[in-house]
Amino acid sequence: MLEPEVETRPWDEQLVLDDETYRAQIAYLLERSAFYREKLAGLEAAGLADIARLPLTEKDELRATRTPDNPIGTHLCATRDEIVRIYSTSGTTGAPTYIPLTAADLDNWVTGSARSYAASGIAAGQRIVSTYNAGPFVAGAALAAFDRIGLSHIPVGTGNTERLMAAIDALRPEAAVLTPSYAAHLVEWAAERDFDLRGSSVERVLVAGEPGGGEPAFRAKLEEGWGARVTEAMGIGDIGVSLWGECGEQDGMHLGARGFVHVELTAPETGEALPLEDGSSGELVLTHLQHRAAPLLRFRTRDHVEIRTAPCPCGRTGPRVRCVGRTDDMLIVRGVNVFPSAVREVVSAFAPQVSGHILVRPQVAGVKQEPPLPVAVELARDATPDAALADAIRDRLRDVLVVQTRVELVEWGSLRRSEYKSKLVET
Ligand SMILES: [Zn+2]
């Protein structure tokens, strides 16, 4: 554990400390943030216990306040000379937005990210190979977390599998960090070339960047292919990088950014606050507690998560999350919410008959769909189409996700592989 005294602090004590920083953060927002002065006008912001009375913040609202004079937006609180870094988002849901950080913000990001990644069990003195082309994106701050942990970091970037495998072979890193899609792609890559991935030096595979690493069937496939333990981490650009990280128990991600971020759960349709109870699920809403450059209050992450609150044997306290999918990817099939990553999880359980690759092919544009929802399911190598298998997958999807689908089995290799993030829905 990187900071045992922080990470094992009883959660109720954490909330007392957070209440204090939250009150100071609100005072700072009212003093410096034009965006929140307007948004909170006439409202009384008390302590954390009453936070659900305040409005949620949507990414689009922030984006709407940008002007040529202020390309960041009116939530910018810091002066030009206070800002040490400006990241931008990947712009998957619109034009890129800028994310400024002060030196203290950046340091907090790295601290939280280091705790999250260290939860996986990697430790000072070990080697880690990374496959992110961080470029303009917040993932760059996660790479600094590896230095903080004391790892020897071997960056190889995205899109050069030969170079990555050569580095693993020659430099013998104990860990690799990559997206779950790329980790899955490498299992196939190795199988095609008789590369002994299972026998490689890599003992831990740290996955991040997209949901999926925590889906049991998908994870089992990665662990089998790599001969390594797979744990996931997750952040959200506007709030912080790798805020969450899983420990070896693999039962949800711990909040590495505890003390820097306050966590809420809400119903995605209504925005209504939901209790943080074991097994509850909803959209993750996050609030900065000690941010300076452009702090956000009750920010809708669009990550749909399940909560775990049962004590974790590792000793870390506080709620844990497992990401079910992005609200942006969600489809509503006759009133039922369907996450493509959940479809993949159900389908993956049919291995070794299937490859684990799926593609949902909506019949109409938009979120609302009429059943049956077409799903292409890729067969394993050498498997032949089998009507009984298609029926069995369809029935399992109906039983588990309560959704009517039309399952089309497609040949091995016909769905696109990704070296970064997978697209599970055809657009
Ligand atoms: Zn744990």
Side-chain angles (χ1 to χ4, degrees):
M1 218 178 283
L2 206 63
E3 294 179 282
E5 69 289 358
V6 177
E7 294 174 66
T8 64
R9 178 181 293 136
W11 193 246
D12 50 353
E13 286 178 29
Q14 182 69 54
L15 289 177
V16 170
L17 295 174
D18 288 352
D19 184 63
E20 211 170 297
T21 40
Y22 168 75
R23 288 168 191 267
Q25 181 83 86
I26 291 283
Y28 178 84
L29 287 176
L30 294 175
E31 182 198 328
R32 291 225 194 178
S33 172
F35 180 82
Y36 283 111
R37 257 200 309 274
E38 190 179 324
K39 201 172 171 72
L40 300 180
L43 296 170
E44 199 190 331
L48 269 186
D50 297 315
I51 191 171
R53 289 190 206 156
L54 302 181
L56 296 163
T57 301
E58 302 265 4
K59 198 173 172 76
D60 284 346
E61 287 176 82
L62 302 170
R63 201 179 277 139
T65 68
R66 296 183 305 180
T67 59
D69 286 340
N70 183 356
I72 291 169
T74 57
H75 60 305
L76 174 66
C77 292
T79 58
R80 194 180 174 95
D81 63 321
E82 289 174 307
I83 292 168
V84 300
R85 187 77 52 88
I86 302 176
Y87 287 115
S88 37
T89 62
S90 52
T92 47
T93 54
T97 51
Y98 295 113
I99 300 160
L101 298 171
T102 67
D105 294 341
L106 183 58
D107 190 66
N108 291 343
W109 272 30
V110 173
T111 300
S113 179
R115 288 183 200 144
S116 294
Y117 276 118
S120 71
I122 49 171
Q126 296 187 329
R127 289 182 172 177
I128 187 166
V129 62
S130 77
T131 63
Y132 296 140
N133 282 352
F137 310 131
V138 296
L143 304 183
F146 302 145
D147 301 344
R148 180 72 64 86
I149 296 170
L151 299 170
S152 169
H153 176 205
I154 308 159
V156 297
T158 308
N160 196 336
T161 298
E162 303 278 347
R163 179 189 292 267
L164 171 65
M165 292 311 201
I168 289 176
D169 217 21
L171 301 173
R172 305 193 56 75
E174 284 89 351
V177 57
L178 61 184
T179 62
S181 295
Y182 192 32
H185 171 69
L186 292 172
V187 171
E188 291 181 351
W189 185 96
E192 280 165 19
R193 287 160 186 79
D194 286 326
F195 182 97
D196 185 15
L197 192 60
R198 280 188 64 83
S200 83
S201 61
V202 175
E203 295 159 3
R204 295 177 202 284
V205 173
L206 282 50
V207 295
E210 61 178 358
E215 295 162 18
F218 186 74
R219 178 177 358 229
K221 199 180 114 186
L222 293 185
E223 295 201 321
E224 167 69 21
W226 280 84
R229 185 164 282 256
V230 173
T231 53
E232 63 173 342
M234 176 176 88
I236 177 91
D238 305 79
I239 299 288
V241 70
S242 23
L243 300 165
W244 305 86
E246 226 177 7
C247 70
E249 300 295 326
Q250 298 177 316
D251 187 26
M253 293 176 271
H254 290 283
L255 180 61
R258 57 189 291 156
F260 306 130
V261 168
H262 177 69
V263 179
E264 288 178 272
L265 192 68
T266 60
E269 298 83 7
T270 60
E272 183 198 345
L274 300 173
L276 271 189
E277 286 168 357
D278 207 43
S280 56
S281 71
E283 184 179 345
L284 197 56
V285 164
L286 299 174
T287 295
H288 279 128
L289 290 173
Q290 34 180 312
H291 214 60
R292 286 294 170 263
L296 298 175
L297 175 68
R298 304 200 78 214
F299 181 71
R300 291 189 65 163
T301 64
R302 311 195 77 77
D303 283 319
H304 196 93
V305 299
E306 283 173 7
I307 301 292
R308 309 264 194 279
T309 59
C312 188
C314 78
R316 291 176 181 82
T317 53
R320 307 188 294 288
V321 300
R322 203 194 124 204
C323 187
V324 179
R326 299 272 302 154
T327 310
D328 295 335
D329 299 333
M330 191 180 80
L331 297 170
I332 302 176
V333 184
R334 198 172 281 165
V336 176
N337 296 351
V338 178
F339 290 96
S341 47
V343 172
R344 179 175 64 184
E345 177 174 357
V346 171
V347 171
S348 292
F350 285 85
Q353 290 161 285
V354 300
S355 73
H357 294 282
I358 63 136
L359 187 64
V360 177
R361 294 176 155 149
Q363 289 171 293
V364 293
V367 172
K368 291 214 166 104
Q369 302 291 321
E370 281 301 310
L373 183 69
V375 179
V377 172
E378 196 185 272
L379 290 161
R381 190 201 310 257
D382 305 328
T384 46
D386 169 358
L389 174 63
D391 289 348
I393 294 173
R394 182 200 60 206
D395 292 350
R396 186 83 64 85
L397 287 168
R398 186 198 56 216
D399 293 347
V400 178
L401 303 177
V402 203
V403 60
Q404 296 288 348
T405 57
R406 193 176 68 233
V407 171
E408 184 202 356
L409 299 176
V410 300
E411 269 180 33
W412 193 86
S414 56
L415 297 183
R416 213 171 69 79
R417 270 52 170 171
S418 171
E419 294 193 345
Y420 195 46
K421 302 186 189 186
S422 284
K423 245 177 83 150
L424 300 181
V425 181
E426 192 172 63
T427 46

